[in-house]
Amino acid sequence: MTAELVRGQNHPLSQVRLEIRVSADAPVVAGATLSDENGRARGVEWVAHPGAPALPGLEVSRQAAADHRLAVDLAAMPEAVHRVNVLLALPAGADGPARFGLVPAPSVTVTGLDGTGIARFTLTGLDAESAVVALELYRRQGAWKVRAVGQGYAGGLASLFTDQGLPQAAELAGSIHEAVARGLARSIPAPAPRAADADRSRSTARSTPGPDQAGPAPQGTPDPVSPHPASPYGAQSPCNSQVPGGPGQSGTPGGMPGGPEQPSCPGGAETADASAVASTPAGGPIDYTHPNRRHATPPPPQEPPAPPGETAPPFAGDAAGWSMEERLYNQVWGMFEDLARTMAAYRSAVDFAESRMEKELDQVLSDLRNRLGSSGDAAREGASAKRARLVEQARAVLDRDLAQLAAESEVVEPALPPAYARWDNPVWHGYHVPTEPPMALRLGDLHLPESAPLRIPMLVRLPLERGLWIDSGTTTAPDGSFFDPGELRHLAMEAAVALAVRLLAVHPAGEFDVHVIDPAGSGASALGPLARGGVPGALPATGAAGVADVLGRLTQRVDLLQMALRSGATDSLPPGLDTAQQLLIVNDFPHGFDDRAVNQLRYLADEGPSASVHLLMVADREDAAAYGPLLDPLWRSLMRLTPVPDDHLADPWVGHAWTYEPSLVPPGSEVLHHVLAQVSAARTKHT
């Protein structure tokens, strides 16, 4: 039974290998400091944080998230360590809350390797604090105990580290927040949990490896004690959160691996109030009532129950939502999270099997008499056989879950609407210009090495709240070779055009426009479909004068809209102002850009989304190296995509490195021309 602690209370620890599970309603940074018998940390090397997540006997999460799992092995702690302080902090400079008083009280639970709760502490009473020492594990007379601390610091991590006697506390705090910012930039933001989305029957059917199969569960793995983890299948994610982005922030992506860069999204991870989740009596029906709606959110469609002993077949729309589009969006994000968590359980089990084998061998071979001869060989064979058995058990669980997800993917992909579908989906053959914009957009596909055949659509919420950057720089191929630089630049422009056409296709006529800056004209061939399709503004602006003209007009638009919104005088906007959303494609940055143009571009990247001006850059960061750190905020504000497969994105739950594949048009396909012809005809009727 889990002991509920109050501030200052302690509880004995009967195990030395533990998990510390953090649960919050907003992304937080989790870390830990090691202290000596006087409670002083001896240096930065005694601090585990996202920039340096592993210490002997301790590992923390590499990114900010709403849920964390910290792995602790007290037996592996150095002899000089007498305390382990668990820290929580709010990310600095993020769009989220600046103090703990603005969010529901986070909780921290100490569990065994099998998920059995030992002690839990809910950090109530916080207000102006932005960093807090939640728990401490301390050694007393050879035994370890846990104490609920709850000491907050309004000065953030810098004040906390100063209090613990760390030198250069402010510099250390700054480096941690910088590491968190880098993690958020590559992480896919996830949709926020909603009352109607709190459970998927499929996810609860999945079993979790037992204590002999898995070691400390990685950050973000489901709690076996709580069969209904918070679900991200809400209406926002990577895009809105800005999240892959996030499916996005669990907390994480605009986009789905926003993000893990966190792919930013529209339905991606944002903005459902966790307090809106209605409580459900044990064993009772789910209450779908939304506190701000008079009617209940409809549950997902139900298939007839499967015969005893059989699994119900998957079907498209197996998630909550008001429309089929929303249900499919939530279902895709659910598949994304399910794959992330089942892979985390598998990798954790393999790591545990490896560490268990090494520990058993160390114990046996520590005796010199066992190192040689038959006893040593028998110990090695026994440990290796046990490891193989544990890995085989974990792989069987993984294969079962992958088969279930693959079956679900086979029925979901053909049912996706154009905004979510691949370019080779037959839905495009019957394409017609929509009358309403979609809630999300597909940026590409995501997959993991152990499940390469299974692709998860990377959906980001609309409207985009984060710009996109297609990296045309050097990228390593899967076989270790390098792509030709010229070919990469051409592929990057083709990916940008495919995204632009998709955005035009999924918006009603006259509600989305495109502008192109191509100073040297190097992207003319790739831009051909837009120009031939008669898209207004698709003829690229060239030279320094063309760059200045386009940036000046879009900057003025953002200024006007922001002033009107801030003053509440939207009726006084110029009558000729185009109210459609604007997409600016920039090729070969920074060629053709002077200092003024660079500043205008940075302004559009930061402020443009609030005025419906979205940025799509095709650039090699090395080309702008002369600007040094001046452009770091620009690159960080954009979600990085690649024209070829690359494992640079992270999910918002566990932080796996996901391979992103762009959504390109199949060779020889005329789908772009067909779609643009429909868009052009609809625009003609609209005008």
Side-chain angles (χ1 to χ4, degrees):
M1 181 176 180
T2 305
E4 295 288 347
L5 304 182
V6 297
R7 189 174 276 102
Q9 184 179 359
N10 61 34
H11 188 79
L13 295 173
S14 58
Q15 306 176 46
V16 294
R17 300 191 67 183
L18 307 165
E19 274 187 8
I20 299 177
R21 303 182 176 187
V22 178
S23 179
D25 277 14
V28 296
V29 181
T33 60
L34 308 181
S35 304
D36 57 22
E37 64 275 10
N38 299 317
R40 313 295 284 182
R42 297 187 177 180
V44 295
E45 66 277 5
W46 275 27
V47 181
H49 57 83
L55 295 178
L58 177 65
E59 184 172 1
V60 303
S61 176
R62 290 170 169 78
Q63 63 189 51
D67 296 291
H68 293 272
R69 304 297 166 94
L70 283 63
V72 179
D73 185 353
L74 297 174
M77 291 289 171
E79 287 296 325
V81 173
H82 286 256
R83 296 183 188 178
V84 180
N85 303 287
V86 178
L87 321 174
L88 303 180
L90 294 170
D95 294 334
R99 56 188 180 90
F100 278 107
L102 298 176
V103 298
S107 65
V108 183
T109 306
V110 180
T111 75
L113 295 186
D114 59 354
T116 303
I118 299 173
R120 179 186 295 112
F121 175 45
T122 302
L123 287 83
T124 58
L126 298 177
D127 186 12
E129 298 87 348
S130 59
V132 61
V133 179
L135 295 175
E136 70 172 4
L137 313 179
Y138 64 98
R139 181 165 23 200
R140 181 69 54 82
Q141 297 178 349
W144 286 90
K145 296 183 178 182
V146 56
R147 176 185 290 120
V149 180
Q151 175 63 54
Y153 296 85
L157 285 174
S159 297
L160 188 155
F161 291 145
T162 300
D163 192 41
Q164 295 195 350
L166 279 166
Q168 301 177 328
E171 290 80 357
L172 175 58
S175 67
I176 292 175
H177 288 305
E178 177 68 21
V180 170
R182 291 195 300 268
L184 289 174
R186 64 182 293 270
S187 178
I188 301 168
R194 300 189 318 168
D197 305 330
D199 176 41
R200 299 176 79 207
S201 58
R202 170 172 46 80
S203 63
T204 60
R206 297 227 171 99
S207 62
T208 303
D212 289 336
Q213 292 174 256
Q219 295 91 355
T221 52
D223 185 348
V225 177
S226 304
H228 305 295
S231 168
Y233 324 133
Q236 150 55 27
S237 183
C239 299
N240 279 14
S241 39
Q242 293 240 221
V243 19
Q249 251 154 36
S250 152
T252 262
M256 282 178 21
E261 300 217 353
Q262 222 178 11
S264 164
C265 301
E270 299 239 336
T271 74
D273 186 349
S275 64
V277 178
S279 60
T280 302
I286 296 176
D287 180 5
Y288 291 97
T289 303
H290 190 289
N292 296 324
R293 293 194 182 117
R294 295 184 179 180
H295 303 288
T297 302
Q302 298 296 318
E303 290 285 303
E310 297 184 14
T311 302
F315 61 96
D318 182 15
W322 287 93
S323 64
M324 188 61 175
E325 179 191 17
E326 185 178 4
R327 291 199 296 269
L328 286 169
Y329 172 82
N330 292 335
Q331 186 173 13
V332 168
W333 272 96
M335 294 166 59
F336 183 30
E337 183 183 16
D338 286 349
L339 181 55
R341 294 190 186 279
T342 195
M343 194 61 67
Y346 169 72
R347 291 179 178 179
S348 176
V350 172
D351 290 343
F352 176 67
E354 294 283 355
S355 63
R356 181 170 178 172
M357 181 182 69
E358 293 174 0
K359 187 174 182 179
E360 290 179 354
L361 288 176
D362 288 344
Q363 290 175 345
V364 173
L365 301 181
S366 59
D367 188 341
L368 295 178
R369 293 170 296 181
N370 294 331
R371 294 188 179 182
L372 300 175
S374 59
S375 59
D377 294 339
R380 293 185 184 90
E381 291 177 2
S384 178
K386 186 177 293 184
R387 172 201 170 278
R389 185 172 65 255
L390 294 177
V391 172
E392 183 180 359
Q393 292 173 351
R395 184 71 208 194
V397 174
L398 175 65
D399 289 342
R400 181 199 65 201
D401 289 349
L402 290 180
Q404 190 172 2
L405 283 169
E408 187 171 10
S409 178
E410 288 177 359
V411 299
V412 168
E413 275 287 355
L416 295 177
Y420 303 174
R422 291 193 296 252
W423 285 112
D424 58 358
N425 192 311
V427 71
W428 289 105
H429 296 299
Y431 165 78
H432 296 287
V433 177
T435 57
E436 293 182 358
M439 66 181 297
L441 187 82
R442 186 174 191 151
L443 295 183
D445 294 333
L446 300 167
H447 68 86
L448 293 169
E450 297 92 336
S451 59
L454 178 60
R455 262 57 173 175
I456 303 294
M458 177 179 167
L459 303 182
V460 300
R461 284 296 297 270
L462 293 180
L464 295 172
E465 293 192 2
R466 185 180 185 185
L468 303 175
W469 162 37
I470 301 180
D471 189 355
S472 60
T474 303
T475 301
T476 306
D479 60 0
S481 61
F482 290 93
F483 291 96
D484 176 72
E487 180 186 4
L488 267 181
R489 292 178 185 272
H490 181 73
L491 287 174
M493 276 304 298
E494 287 188 340
V497 169
L499 277 175
V501 173
R502 184 182 289 267
L503 283 164
L504 285 166
V506 301
H507 284 85
E511 292 190 12
F512 202 91
D513 290 332
V514 174
H515 306 269
V516 180
I517 291 179
D518 187 17
S522 59
S525 61
L527 290 167
L530 285 176
R532 292 191 297 270
V535 177
L539 293 177
T542 58
V547 171
D549 176 62
V550 173
L551 292 177
R553 286 188 283 112
L554 292 178
T555 300
Q556 183 183 42
R557 170 197 169 90
V558 172
D559 288 339
L560 286 173
L561 287 176
Q562 286 194 337
M563 286 189 294
L565 291 172
R566 289 169 183 167
S567 61
T570 54
D571 293 340
S572 62
L573 287 169
L577 184 69
D578 185 3
T579 58
Q581 296 191 61
Q582 312 290 316
L583 177 69
L584 173 60
I585 302 176
V586 178
N587 184 35
D588 270 355
F589 174 81
H591 300 302
F593 283 71
D594 55 21
D595 291 343
R596 175 181 173 82
V598 169
N599 288 330
Q600 288 177 318
L601 189 69
R602 289 184 55 188
Y603 175 73
L604 291 177
D606 293 337
E607 305 296 335
S610 64
S612 300
V613 175
H614 312 289
L615 186 60
L616 175 55
M617 285 184 57
V618 178
D620 179 356
R621 188 168 182 173
E622 291 300 317
D623 291 343
Y627 287 93
L630 177 67
L631 291 182
D632 285 351
L634 172 65
W635 303 117
R636 192 178 302 146
S637 68
L638 304 173
M639 182 189 299
R640 178 175 175 257
L641 305 176
T642 53
V644 293
D646 188 69
D647 61 349
H648 66 284
L649 291 176
D651 64 81
W653 305 284
V654 185
H656 295 312
W658 292 75
T659 296
Y660 165 80
E661 292 187 8
S663 181
L664 298 176
V665 177
S669 173
E670 295 294 321
V671 64
L672 290 190
H673 302 291
H674 167 70
V675 169
L676 287 174
Q678 296 280 344
V679 171
S680 178
R683 281 177 173 271
T684 302
K685 293 179 181 179
H686 176 73
T687 55

